[in-house]
């Protein structure tokens, strides 16, 4: 049993003052005035957009005595940049128009028969009556959204979003035998997310009961980036660009699935929904509590709010009961995420959303879910509750490292374990893909800043060098002493590979740029190998590639002993080590910490001060 969270009262720390200097200069240039009454609001919007925040509260009427300039659009109690406002208007109008059209529904009996075959009902309880396995919400999600013009499937880590999507695709193929792999587009905002989706989608299909034709279709699906799906070109907007696919030349696929939708900015989603064919169906997947896009986002969060803000219409309730049984409506309601006050800002969209609340990690690692709930955006819990929960957990579940040295030691053990595994491989004796994938999925250190990444990578490389020179391979080398990372450099210099020097055998590496010719995406992680331990690496092996690649042919890359939280999104490891700077400042918020914690499927080690956690818990900045 996971310990129950506590909720002691706390006094919030004073918020860190935001810095707007360079954005003030940009706003002054755009308005051609240093005394314009909307100068500060425009600078705040520019700064927010740099963090992926698309809108802010409108300033009090007494602060601005005239209407906003053309660069700013006021929407109710929110203000946003005109370009973002146009993208939002496009997304909302396109989706609302599709939802207003009467859907072409399949026969309920056929849906139920195929659903019972593809995803048989499964429920398992423990000795104390606690639910360990329950796929009812996955079944009803497929049943509700399979023939809907637009559907949103949301859920936290381990809830089975990809399995539900695979079930929906198989169900759609069973209901329409003319639907082939060429009629289905699977895409994601980034190349890394697309590559991971390819692996997880095929793994999910193995957990379903599929006919050979259905299995063949899912096996033939090749997830790609949204940019590649739309056909990005350098043609400017004024000349009809930048997309090959648009309303005049729509996408040919009849079923379009977008995964990791929280990472897609509003402009990219506007381009996608505008390029959908007249009869195309759209399925959007994602966790609304994870990080938003680098540019202005929040589309998934709004769609989830609007879809959960009203009950199913009578016809939708009857459909769901006919397909999944009389308890289906209550199960649908139980799957919805809690609403926030923002839910009332837009008209509800009944039946748009299916939620997955039950997580398969409740059986294997409930402590991860409990900690994630404490830091989830919207939670009222503070740093004291987080730390008290960590202290009550078994160290084999959650380890709190009070000193940097403790976390270094924890990471060093994991890095040396990977090095010992890699010692059996070299540039001639290559690992098989399953063994490589398992080795790289065992542990990852996640940090907040690039300065922390550089420090951890320097520590990891020094450790590999000492291990290679160790006379007795069974005796681990001493852990080098390194000064803590400073926060002076948030982004580092432009070429991490040049800063770190040659990579050694057994170094985990991350690709830092897309390379379509090699089927590599920004964020892919592999293992550098050479002749043996302590020697310079010459090749890199990746779990998704059948052949190694010479390091000289790789796009920009760097050691991945540690990666930032942003880079970790969309991935999962058995053990996670989280290292947070002493002063969070404007670097961290609940979404970032929630994303970091939910990368772990079993064990978590965290090094964070009470000050840092307090700043995170009381931050109102949404990334």
């Amino acid at each position: 049993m996971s310990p129950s969270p506590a909720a002691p009262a706390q006094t919030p720390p004073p918020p860190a003052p935001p810095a707007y200097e360079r954005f003030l200069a940009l706003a002054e240039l755009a308005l051609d005035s240093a005394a314009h009454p909307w100068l500060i609001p425009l600078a705040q919007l520019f700064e927010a957009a740099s963090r992926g925040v698309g809108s802010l509260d409108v300033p009090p009427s007494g602060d601005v005595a005239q209407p906003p300039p053309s660069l700013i659009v006021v929407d109710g109690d929110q203000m946003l940049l005109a370009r973002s406002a146009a993208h939002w208007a496009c997304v909302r109008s396109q989706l609302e128009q599709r939802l207003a059209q009467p859907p072409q529904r399949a026969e309920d009996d056929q849906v139920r028969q195929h659903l019972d075959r593809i995803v048989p009902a499964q429920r398992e309880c423990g000795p104390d009556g606690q639910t360990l396995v329950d796929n009812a919400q996955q079944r009803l999600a497929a049943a509700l959204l399979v023939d809907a013009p637009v559907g949103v499937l949301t859920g936290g880590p381990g809830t089975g979003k990809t399995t539900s999507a695979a079930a929906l695709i198989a169900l759609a193929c069973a209901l329409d035998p003319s639907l082939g792999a060429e009629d289905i587009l699977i895409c994601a905002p980034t190349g890394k997310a697309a590559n991971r989706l390819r692996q997880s989608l095929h793994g999910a299909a193995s957990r379903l009961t599929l006919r050979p034709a259905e299995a063949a279709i899912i096996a033939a699906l090749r997830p790609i980036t949204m940019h590649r799906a739309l056909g990005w070109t350098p043609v400017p907007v004024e000349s009809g660009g930048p997309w090959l696919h648009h309303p005049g030349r729509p996408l040919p696929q009849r079923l379009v699935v977008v995964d990791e939708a929280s990472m897609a900015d509003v402009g990219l989603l506007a381009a996608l929904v505008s390029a959908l064919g007249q009869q195309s169906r759209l399925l959007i997947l994602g966790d609304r509590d994870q990080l938003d896009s680098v540019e202005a986002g929040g589309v998934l969060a709004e769609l989830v709010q609007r879809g959960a803000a009203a009950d199913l219409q009578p016809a939708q309730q009857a459909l769901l009961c006919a397909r999944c049984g009389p308890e289906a409506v209550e199960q649908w309601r139980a799957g919805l995420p809690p609403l926030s006050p923002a839910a009332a800002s837009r008209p509800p969209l009944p039946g748009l959303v299916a939620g997955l609340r039950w997580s398969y990690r409740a059986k294997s690692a409930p402590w991860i879910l409990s900690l994630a709930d404490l830091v989830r955006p919207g939670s009222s819990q503070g740093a004291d509750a987080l730390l008290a929960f960590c202290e009550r957990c078994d160290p084999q579940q959650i380890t709190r490292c009070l000193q940097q040295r403790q976390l270094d030691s924890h990471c060093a053990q994991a890095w040396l374990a990977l090095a010992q595994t890699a010692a059996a491989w070299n540039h001639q004796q290559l690992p098989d893909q399953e063994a490589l994938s398992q080795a790289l999925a065992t542990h990852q250190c996640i940090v907040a800043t690039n300065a922390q990444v550089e420090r951890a990578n320097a520590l990891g490389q020094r450790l590999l060098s000492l291990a290679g020179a160790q006379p007795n391979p069974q005796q681990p080398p001493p852990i080098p002493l390194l000064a803590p990372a400073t926060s002076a450099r948030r982004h580092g210099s432009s070429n991490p590979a040049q800063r770190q020097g040659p990579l050694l055998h057994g170094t985990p590496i991350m690709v830092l740029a897309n390379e379509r010719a090699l089927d590599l995406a920004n964020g892919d992680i592999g293992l550098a190998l050479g002749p043996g331990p302590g020697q310079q690496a010459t090749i890199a092996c990746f779990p998704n590639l059948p052949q190694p690649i010479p390091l000289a042919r790789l796009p920009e890359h760097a050691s991945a002993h540690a990666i930032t939280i942003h880079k970790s999104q969309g991935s999962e490891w058995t053990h996670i080590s989280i290292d947070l700077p002493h002063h969070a400042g404007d670097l961290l918020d609940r979404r970032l910490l929630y994303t970091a914690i939910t990368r772990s499927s079993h064990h978590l080690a965290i090094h964070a001060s009470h000050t840092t956690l307090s700043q995170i818990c009381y931050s109102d900045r949404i990334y």
Side-chain angles (χ1 to χ4, degrees), residues 101-411:
Q101 299 173 0
Q104 297 180 353
R105 294 291 192 180
E107 293 291 335
D108 293 337
D109 288 344
Q110 292 186 16
V111 173
R112 185 177 63 252
Q113 291 172 9
H114 288 302
L115 187 65
D116 288 343
R117 171 182 57 84
I118 295 170
V119 197
Q122 184 181 14
R123 182 178 173 82
E124 177 186 341
C125 295
D128 56 355
Q130 181 184 12
T131 300
L132 300 178
V133 175
D134 189 349
N135 67 350
Q137 291 176 348
Q138 291 180 322
R139 284 167 48 83
L140 70 86
L144 178 65
L145 304 180
V146 65
D147 45 10
V150 180
V152 176
L153 178 59
T154 186
T159 53
K161 294 185 293 292
T162 305
T163 300
S164 300
L168 185 147
I169 293 170
L171 183 58
C173 294
L175 295 170
D176 182 2
S178 69
L179 192 68
E182 69 280 359
D183 301 310
I184 304 172
L185 170 62
I186 313 290
C187 58
T190 67
K192 177 185 177 183
N195 282 346
R196 188 173 186 275
L197 178 59
R198 181 188 310 177
Q199 301 168 25
S200 57
L201 188 63
H202 296 165
S206 67
R207 296 188 287 272
L208 304 174
T209 307
L210 304 178
R211 290 172 177 169
E214 298 159 359
I217 290 174
I218 293 180
L221 296 175
R222 292 292 181 267
I224 58 176
T225 64
M226 296 172 68
H227 292 80
R228 186 174 178 184
L230 289 167
W232 184 89
T233 71
V235 178
V237 175
E238 297 78 9
S239 302
W243 309 110
L244 288 177
H245 291 289
H246 46 73
R249 187 185 178 185
L251 292 163
Q253 291 85 2
R254 290 188 280 157
L255 175 59
V256 177
V257 180
V258 179
D259 193 24
E260 297 288 356
S262 67
M263 299 169 64
D265 63 79
V266 63
L268 187 58
L269 280 170
L272 182 76
V273 299
S274 298
L276 293 174
Q278 195 77 19
Q279 303 300 321
S280 297
R281 302 196 301 276
L282 175 65
L283 176 64
I284 299 173
L285 310 176
D287 181 353
R288 68 162 190 171
D289 292 326
Q290 284 193 30
L291 296 177
D292 277 334
S293 57
V294 175
E295 297 187 31
V299 176
L300 176 67
E302 177 179 301
L303 293 178
V304 170
Q305 290 285 0
R306 296 178 66 183
D311 204 358
L312 294 173
Q313 296 174 344
Q316 295 170 329
Q317 294 189 26
L319 174 143
L320 205 51
C321 290
R323 295 178 175 185
C324 297
E327 303 87 6
V329 175
E330 286 303 319
Q331 291 169 341
W332 174 82
R333 292 170 182 152
L336 296 178
L339 296 178
S340 73
S345 63
R346 291 283 165 185
L349 298 172
L352 171 69
V353 172
L356 304 175
R357 295 292 297 278
W358 186 87
S359 174
Y360 283 83
R361 293 186 193 173
K363 184 176 182 178
S364 59
W367 47 90
I368 298 294
L369 299 179
S370 297
L371 183 60
D373 283 339
L374 289 175
V375 304
R376 186 187 300 273
S379 170
S380 61
Q381 302 294 339
D384 290 343
L386 269 64
L387 294 176
F389 177 80
C390 292
E391 293 298 331
R392 292 197 302 273
C393 283
D394 188 294
Q396 297 302 314
Q397 301 170 348
I398 297 178
T399 303
R400 187 192 174 200
C401 300
L402 298 176
Q403 304 294 331
Q404 180 72 59
R405 181 72 172 169
Q406 290 177 269
L407 189 80
D408 288 349
S409 177
H410 185 87
C411 291

Side-chain angles (χ1 to χ4, degrees), residues 405-431:
R405 181 72 172 169
Q406 290 177 269
L407 189 80
D408 288 349
S409 177
H410 185 87
C411 291
Q413 293 177 28
W415 296 335
L416 287 173
L418 177 62
Q420 290 174 358
T421 300
W425 306 324
N426 55 51
H427 61 302
Q428 294 180 330
Q429 186 70 32
L430 302 175

